[in-house]
Amino acid sequence: MGGMAARQNDQAEIKQKVTCKRETFEDLMDVYQLLLEAYGPRHWWPAETPFEMMVGAILTQNTTWVNVEKAIRNMGKRLTSDYIAAAPLEELGELIRSSGYFRQKAQRLKNLTEWYAQYTYDIEKARARKGEALRAELLAIKGIGPETADSILLYALDKLFFVIDAYTRRILERLGYTLPQTYDELRMVIEQNILADLTVYQEFHALLVEHAKRHCTKEPRCCACPVEGICWYRQGKVT
DNA sequence: GTCCAGGACC
DNA sequence: GGTCCAGGAC
């Protein structure tokens, strides 16, 4: 009699267990280590100069990197602050057409360059400022949101801000973490649980991108995944 | 041809 | 939630 009720209880408990999530982000560095061992250091961001890095950050918004590469190649020697500052909007747009949203992005490149002018296009002058101040300035630029701002802060300005993108969310979801809704909440909880080191920040984001492309694709390819041992999606605990 | 991935702003 | 876009997958 009690046996039946107890069994139903067990099943209810099991059901609850499979739908719950990781409680904390304390083991994030384990994820980092596994990805680093699997893929090796990525040495991101792929750019010749800090300015090219910032340009790439805008061009890659909602766009695959191959299309950005075409745009960067197309700009060639014109990939300079002086050219962008002076070029007609339409001409600039044509150069970067392959990266999509080219009218918006042409204007955004001009906005970025206008901001950079106050540092006389000198990255060291910008780096001399506090990260928080730079972040506020970048976010005030029309066309630069949190992800683009943090990419620029991390990869061009050497400031400790963790970059959150769609790949980051997808991977962490699948691993089983409970993600805060907002960008900054997620960024800060990650920052509180990883080593405060520029290389770790830079590599971790790059490794997440690599992982999202090789294994944690939209349709996951879990075979031989370097984090399958700790992944809750792989273990059927989350969908 | 249609569909889709992918940030920021309105 | 709608809009901005090219290019690759199908």
Side-chain angles (χ1 to χ4, degrees), chain A residues 86 99 103 117 128 195:
Chain A
S99 68
R103 292 183 192 87
L195 195 63

Side-chain angles (χ1 to χ4, degrees), chain A residues 97-133:
Chain A
R97 178 180 271 274
S98 68
S99 68
Y101 311 98
F102 59 91
R103 292 183 192 87
Q104 293 188 53
K105 285 177 180 175
Q107 183 59 58
R108 289 175 185 185
L109 289 184
K110 279 186 167 289
N111 298 344
L112 169 78
T113 305
E114 201 176 321
W115 162 81
Y116 198 31
Q118 74 185 293
Y119 297 103
T120 60
Y121 308 134
D122 181 346
I123 201 68
E124 293 305 335
K125 279 186 189 151
R127 284 175 179 158
R129 303 209 63 206
K130 292 241 191 261
E132 293 293 350

Side-chain angles (χ1 to χ4, degrees), chain A residues 10 17 43 48 55 64 85 109 117 123-124 154-155 164-165 169 178 182 197 199 201 213 229 236:
Chain A
D10 284 351
K17 197 171 246 172
H43 303 298
E48 299 282 327
V55 168
T64 57
L109 289 184
I123 201 68
E124 293 305 335
L154 182 59
Y155 292 105
I164 310 295
D165 64 359
R169 283 192 171 272
T178 310
T182 72
D197 176 87
T199 304
Y201 274 50
K213 289 183 171 162

Side-chain angles (χ1 to χ4, degrees), chain A residues 52-53 68 92 100 111 189 193 232:
Chain A
E52 184 182 318
M53 184 278 140
V68 177
L92 182 57
N111 298 344
V189 77
N193 285 278
W232 284 30

Side-chain angles (χ1 to χ4, degrees), chain A residues 23-62:
Chain A
E23 293 294 325
T24 72
F25 286 73
E26 284 166 18
D27 54 351
L28 253 192
M29 282 304 281
D30 298 342
V31 177
Y32 173 73
Q33 281 302 334
L34 289 171
L35 295 178
L36 183 61
E37 284 162 23
Y39 303 128
R42 311 313 302 155
H43 303 298
W44 255 33
W45 181 295
E48 299 282 327
T49 67
F51 183 70
E52 184 182 318
M53 184 278 140
M54 297 192 278
V55 168
I58 285 178
L59 295 184
T60 201
Q61 290 170 350
N62 253 33

Side-chain angles (χ1 to χ4, degrees), chain A residues 173-214:
Chain A
E173 281 288 352
R174 288 197 180 135
L175 284 170
Y177 296 102
T178 310
L179 304 191
Q181 302 298 313
T182 72
Y183 181 97
D184 280 315
E185 278 179 315
L186 178 56
R187 175 176 62 80
M188 288 190 285
V189 77
I190 291 176
E191 289 173 353
Q192 284 155 12
N193 285 278
I194 65 173
L195 195 63
D197 176 87
L198 192 63
T199 304
V200 169
Y201 274 50
Q202 291 176 337
E203 285 297 334
F204 204 165
H205 174 66
L207 287 164
L208 287 170
V209 172
E210 188 64 23
H211 183 56
K213 289 183 171 162
R214 291 215 218 163

